[in-house]
C-alpha cells in the first residue's frame, strides 16, 4: 500500500489566466527535480486553459473547484466535466465548505457531481468538514460520517480508484487556526474507517485523505508525518509560488 502524497492548492476566486501563468512559471524551477509526490492547483475556471498549457511538462496538475453533473444543456452559468477536461483540468474539488455554505451544494449534489467526474475521468477531491459549533457539541464524527456517506452515495469500490477525500474543518479554513496534527489524525483515521465500511479494505487503504485548513509551510511537515494524512488542500498559502513550493517540498 502506498499513497503518493497529494499537495494541492485551492486558489478560490483569485488570479486571472495571466496571473496563473506567472505563478506557474515561477513555481516550475522551485519544484524541478522534486519527486515522490503529486503537486496540483485548482484554479478559477477562466484560468484553466492557460494554466494547463503553462504547466505542461512540470508535473503540476491543474484542476477546477466545482463542476456540474450534466454533460451539456440549458444550464446557464454551469460547466461540465467534458468542458473542464477539454480545457486541461485533470481533477476537480467537490463539496468545498464554501460551496456548501454560500452556493447551496448538498451531499446529494456532491454525489451526483462525483458520479459525473468519475464517468469523465476527472479525479474527484471530495471535501467534508465540521463547523466549530458542531465540534464543540461533540458532533464531529456524526457530521463527518453523514457527509462522507451522503457525498459518496452510489459510489462502488470498483469505481473508487481515483477518489481523493479532503478533511477541512470549517473552523480552520482561512482562520489561521490549524487543527493540531493529532486532532487531524484522529479524524483521518475515523474517515478511513468509514471508507472501509462504505467501500471495503482496498479502497480504504488506497484512498488519499488530505487535510485542509490553514496549512502553511511551517505546519505541513508535522501534519504529513501522521499515518493517515496523505496530503494537503491549501488555500491562502498556495497563492505565492515560494510558499506553495515549500508545502509541496514538505520533507525535502
Ligand atoms: P486555507 O484554505 O488554507 O486558506 O485555510 C483551505 C481551503 O479552503 O481549501
Amino acid at each position: 500500500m502506498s499513497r503518493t502524497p497529494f499537495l494541492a492548492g485551492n486558489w478560490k476566486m483569485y488570479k486571472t489566466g495571466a496571473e496563473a501563468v506567472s505563478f506557474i512559471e515561477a513555481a516550475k524551477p522551485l519544484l524541478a527535480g522534486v519527486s515522490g509526490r503529486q503537486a496540483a492547483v485548482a484554479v478559477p475556471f477562466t484560468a484553466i486553459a492557460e494554466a494547463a498549457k503553462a504547466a505542461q511538462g512540470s508535473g503540476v496538475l491543474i484542476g477546477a473547484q466545482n463542476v456540474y453533473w450534466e454533460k451539456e444543456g440549458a444550464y446557464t452559468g454551469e460547466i461540465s466535466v467534458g468542458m473542464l477536461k477539454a480545457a486541461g483540468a485533470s481533477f476537480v474539488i467537490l463539496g468545498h465548505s464554501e460551496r456548501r455554505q454560500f452556493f447551496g451544494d448538498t451531499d446529494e449534489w456532491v454525489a451526483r457531481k462525483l458520479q459525473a467526474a468519475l464517468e469523465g475521468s476527472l479525479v474527484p477531491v471530495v471535501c467534508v468538514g465540521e463547523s466549530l459549533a458542531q465540534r464543540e457539541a461533540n458532533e464531529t464524527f456524526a457530521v463527518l460520517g453523514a457527509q462522507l456517506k451522503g457525498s459518496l452515495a452510489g459510489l462502488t469500490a470498483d469505481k473508487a480508484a481515483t477518489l481523493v477525500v479532503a478533511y477541512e474543518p470549517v473552523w480552520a479554513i482561512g482562520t489561521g487556526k490549524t487543527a493540531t496534527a493529532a486532532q487531524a489524525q484522529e479524524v483521518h483515521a475515523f474517515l478511513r474507517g468509514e471508507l472501509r465500511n462504505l467501500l471495503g479494505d482496498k479502497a480504504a487503504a488506497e484512498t488519499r485523505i488530505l487535510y485542509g485548513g490553514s496549512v502553511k509551510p511551517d505546519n505541513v511537515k508535522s501534519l504529513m508525518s501522521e499515518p493517515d494524512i496523505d496530503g494537503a488542500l491549501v488555500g491562502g498559502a498556495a497563492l505565492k509560488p515560494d510558499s506553495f513550493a515549500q508545502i509541496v517540498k514538505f520533507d525535502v
Side-chain angles (χ1 to χ4, degrees):
M1 177 208 74
S2 85
R3 299 186 293 263
T4 304
F6 191 98
L7 291 310
N10 168 20
W11 280 356
K12 311 193 180 192
M13 201 171 74
Y14 293 98
K15 295 193 194 290
T16 62
E19 288 164 345
V21 171
S22 313
F23 175 100
I24 289 161
E25 294 306 337
K28 269 189 203 169
L30 304 175
L31 295 175
V34 178
S35 63
R37 70 214 59 215
Q38 181 62 62
V41 198
V43 306
F45 289 134
T46 47
I48 292 172
E50 280 167 90
K53 213 167 160 202
Q56 264 174 21
S58 69
V60 178
L61 297 181
I62 301 300
Q65 302 166 18
N66 184 31
V67 71
Y68 191 55
W69 56 78
E70 294 291 348
K71 287 193 170 68
E72 59 182 10
Y75 303 105
T76 301
E78 292 298 324
I79 293 189
S80 71
V81 168
M83 291 167 182
L84 292 181
K85 290 276 291 188
S90 49
F91 74 100
V92 62
I93 297 174
L94 300 176
H96 188 280
S97 65
E98 287 151 17
R99 299 285 330 159
R100 294 176 185 263
Q101 198 180 335
F102 304 132
F103 304 102
D105 280 25
T106 61
D107 291 337
E108 191 200 330
W109 283 22
V110 175
R112 294 178 79 163
K113 292 175 181 194
L114 173 61
Q115 294 300 332
L118 291 172
E119 259 169 50
S121 303
L122 204 54
V123 170
V125 178
V126 174
C127 302
V128 295
E130 83 287 3
S131 68
L132 185 59
Q134 289 164 336
R135 177 162 279 265
E136 286 176 345
N138 281 325
E139 291 167 3
T140 298
F141 292 140
V143 165
L144 294 174
Q147 271 182 18
L148 191 71
K149 188 167 183 219
S151 300
L152 303 188
L155 180 64
T156 48
D158 57 314
K159 298 224 175 78
T162 62
L163 174 69
V164 178
V165 171
Y167 167 55
E168 296 206 311
V170 177
W171 49 270
I173 294 178
T175 58
K177 270 193 220 161
T178 332
T180 63
Q183 266 175 331
Q185 166 58 28
E186 184 188 27
V187 169
H188 282 228
F190 166 78
L191 290 172
R192 202 173 302 287
E194 294 298 289
L195 286 172
R196 191 169 297 116
N197 295 338
L198 294 168
L199 299 169
D201 288 342
K202 186 169 186 284
E206 292 177 355
T207 299
R208 286 172 291 184
I209 307 179
L210 318 182
Y211 170 78
S214 298
V215 174
K216 305 274 182 277
D218 64 5
N219 60 23
V220 63
K221 193 171 179 180
S222 88
L223 288 159
M224 291 300 290
S225 67
E226 296 291 341
D228 289 296
I229 301 182
D230 309 314
L233 187 55
V234 188
L239 289 168
K240 294 248 165 62
D242 55 342
S243 123
F244 175 68
Q246 282 179 54
I247 289 169
V248 172
K249 300 197 281 191
F250 65 95
D251 58 348
V252 173

